[in-house]
Amino acid sequence: MKIFFAYPSSLAEVMQAIKGAGRLVAHRGNDVYLHLWVENDIAGRPLTDPIFQQIQESDVLFADVTTVNFNVTFEVGYAIGLGKRVHITRNNNFRREAEIIDKIGIFDTLGFESYSNEEDLATILLNANDTGPIRLNSSANVRAPIYVLNTPTIGQAMLAIISRIKKARLGFRNFFPQEEPRLSAIKAVDDVSTSLGVVVPLLSKEFADAEIHNIRAAFVAGVALAMSKATVILQPFNGPAPLDVRDIVSTYARPEDIADRIGELALEVTERLQAAEPLPVPVGNFLAQLSIGDPIAENEFQTLGKYFLRTDEFGRASRGEVNLVVGRKGAGKTALFSQLRNEKRDNSQNIVVDLKPEGYQLIRLKEDVLDYLAEGAKTHLITAFFEYVLYLEICYKVLEKDRERHTRDGRLYEPYRRLLVAYETGDAGEGDFSERLLALSRDLAAKFQTDFGEDRDQRLTAQQVTELVYKHNVREIRTALSAYLRFKSSVWVLFDNLDKGWSPHGVTSSDTLILRSLIDGARKIQRELQREGHDFHCVVFVRNDVYQLLVETSADYGKESRATLDWTDPDLLRELLRRRLVQNDLPPDTNFERVWSQICISHHNGEETSQYLIDRSLMRPRNLLKILAHCRGFAVNLGRERIEQTDIEKGLKAYSLDLITEADQELTDILGSDTALLYHFIGEGDRFEKQKLHDILKGAGTLDGQVDTVVDYLLYFGFIGIKVGTESARYIFDVGYDTKLMKTLISKNERTLSYILNPAFFPALNL
């Protein structure tokens, strides 16, 4: 058996152990041939033909990740993409990379073997085998044939990539680090293998989390290139990959460079789609072929309708009874958004304006305008801005929808031309909504600086606001639009992602002002259009912590009609899961218990397994799907027909690390600095009195003034709950996600109250 062993050059002790193990393997005389390949830390160096050939000719790849390395990670991905068995090793004598390995997510979801010296490692090498490589899915996802590895923050480059893919009219799926804090190797391989094209942007080192992202990028790029996917690896002009790999890594200096490369990718993917014949169903058991969809709703817009659970909240939104949909992260707001949009689009006489900004377009507006205005002027200006933006977007959607139809319908021709003239004088620009919103925000900020300078607490008259915001008389746009809407049934404006990137309990007054102004701007349009006989609805999708802050800062907003997407009933989550399971060629009325028994053991540690997993999902649909995906991944890779106890344990460990990484990211936003605070609960048990909890937080570096804020966040996230006397533990979802009720229970029971760690975090904290 030929083994290719890749390892980094940065740790001398690791190198010595590996070389010593190589000598021992050679000395003991067996059929193991070991080829050692030392890697430096130059990103991109392994992208050369000799390395490809060596891996192709080997039976097994060993990779040492004692210290994370771009080149080694690329080779791991490349070997997996070739269908090779990969063994990951790590030297127990070094601990400094453990935290970053946890955050990356790849290596611990693959599993690795630990050693302390050359004897240990030689034993691992001699016991290695080439059986059981990760399965590669041979079914192409023709609805979403492109896979995109998103960067941790959505900057200009990432926005340009997504915009160009949208314009190519090709479906795509993303890895969202904002939603999935760790990249599961199993899921990444599955996403790449079912794609026809892959886009991997690299980050230069000065960006936040660049090292973590680039390691993930190395893995995804390796898998994609080995599987001969149409692959675009993009990097800014200043790196990180060296110029001698320019044949594989495309360097860009301008957005146009990105557009060119994505355009070439789109052509290649389109050719493959046209040439591809239906692929045979992969050979294997039901579990191996099972699809449960994607935990991220954005990645399954094309298929979600087949198993979407139409709750009462959806019905109320569909009937126009609510103007706010409120829910926690992962509760299903975006899923409801997509299905409400699709339902209203089914009526060709409806105008549906779906707006999903990427979350950063209003930053400059906040920094360059709002910081210089008095409170009243801020509200007036941003409300007017959103009124203008929404009118332009409704016009844009109407004009786009009837671009061809108005030429065939004599009733529409003249009103359409008048509306087109009014819209074009508004100068909203081209591109998708994110680009148009960014352009309008930038123009408003620039005009404000020119006209009013940088004095603080400025007050603007109504006339000044009008001149600042409107590039054209909004009344003319409204008049032309109203005349055209006489030929339409109803108008639906759906606004999601406004709070994307806002940290929990880190929302500023400017953030709530923007939300309040959006609602007020939509209300004004609704009054104006309904007064003229038009049916108009605007629904804004927002996190419940943001809504609660909105209510606290603006009491009248507690009267807003809203639908709350908070899950408290385990049976409802089972029904959501059942709908996804039975769409795998099973009778649609198959009950949950019957299909569940086909894929999973009935009990784990004495508990019914579906309830066991639901109890650890924090009552969020996305989390439940993630847990099941992790457990299934481990079972399938070992060739099992059902998920067994060890698969559940491994799956929960990977999921638990996901949760801790996600919570740590949000705590970093709240505290204003990097933190590994949650790891300080290791060894502290699962029950704490108030003083002990505070001592743990202070021991992790939390300042006195931040302790209460952190405790509130841990309760809100579901990391801890409360237990009063002999009563059962209660978490945020047990009190209807009402933080005020939770705080009241705490204040009234301080003497008999304990804080309880949620069992979802036990595996990651070794409990």
Side-chain angles (χ1 to χ4, degrees), residues 160 164 254-264:
R164 293 308 302 181
R254 307 165 302 150
E256 291 80 5
D257 299 332
I258 295 175
D260 291 343
R261 286 300 292 120
I262 299 299
E264 294 169 7

Side-chain angles (χ1 to χ4, degrees), residues 177-223:
Q178 301 90 345
E179 307 287 349
E180 299 178 272
R182 299 184 337 118
L183 178 63
S184 161
I186 308 300
K187 186 174 185 300
V189 171
D190 192 53
D191 283 335
V192 171
S193 62
T194 56
S195 300
L196 298 178
V198 177
V199 181
V200 182
L202 301 176
L203 285 177
S204 51
K205 61 183 180 181
E206 62 267 18
F207 281 85
D209 294 328
E211 181 181 9
I212 292 171
H213 172 77
N214 288 338
I215 293 297
R216 292 170 176 163
F219 179 78
V220 171
V223 175

Side-chain angles (χ1 to χ4, degrees), residues 294-313:
D294 196 294
I296 307 301
E298 287 92 338
N299 287 341
E300 56 172 4
F301 280 166
Q302 306 292 336
T303 57
L304 184 59
K306 293 189 297 184
Y307 39 74
F308 178 71
L309 181 59
R310 295 183 169 231
T311 58
D312 179 61
E313 289 76 16

Side-chain angles (χ1 to χ4, degrees), residues 149-192:
L149 184 76
N150 279 31
T151 53
T153 55
I154 305 297
Q156 287 279 17
M158 198 69 237
L159 186 62
I161 290 170
I162 299 301
S163 177
R164 293 308 302 181
I165 296 176
K166 287 179 180 177
K167 289 178 181 177
R169 297 181 64 82
L170 286 172
F172 64 96
R173 292 158 294 132
N174 306 69
F175 167 70
F176 290 100
Q178 301 90 345
E179 307 287 349
E180 299 178 272
R182 299 184 337 118
L183 178 63
S184 161
I186 308 300
K187 186 174 185 300
V189 171
D190 192 53
D191 283 335
V192 171

Side-chain angles (χ1 to χ4, degrees), residues 655-689:
Y655 160 74
S656 187
L657 286 168
D658 287 348
L659 278 185
I660 282 192
T661 306
E662 179 183 339
D664 260 341
Q665 286 180 349
E666 295 180 358
L667 275 171
T668 296
D669 293 333
I670 294 170
L671 299 176
S673 60
D674 288 338
T675 176
L677 184 150
L678 301 187
Y679 288 99
H680 284 261
F681 283 84
I682 293 176
E684 299 292 347
D686 60 355
R687 183 167 179 163
F688 326 99
E689 303 304 319

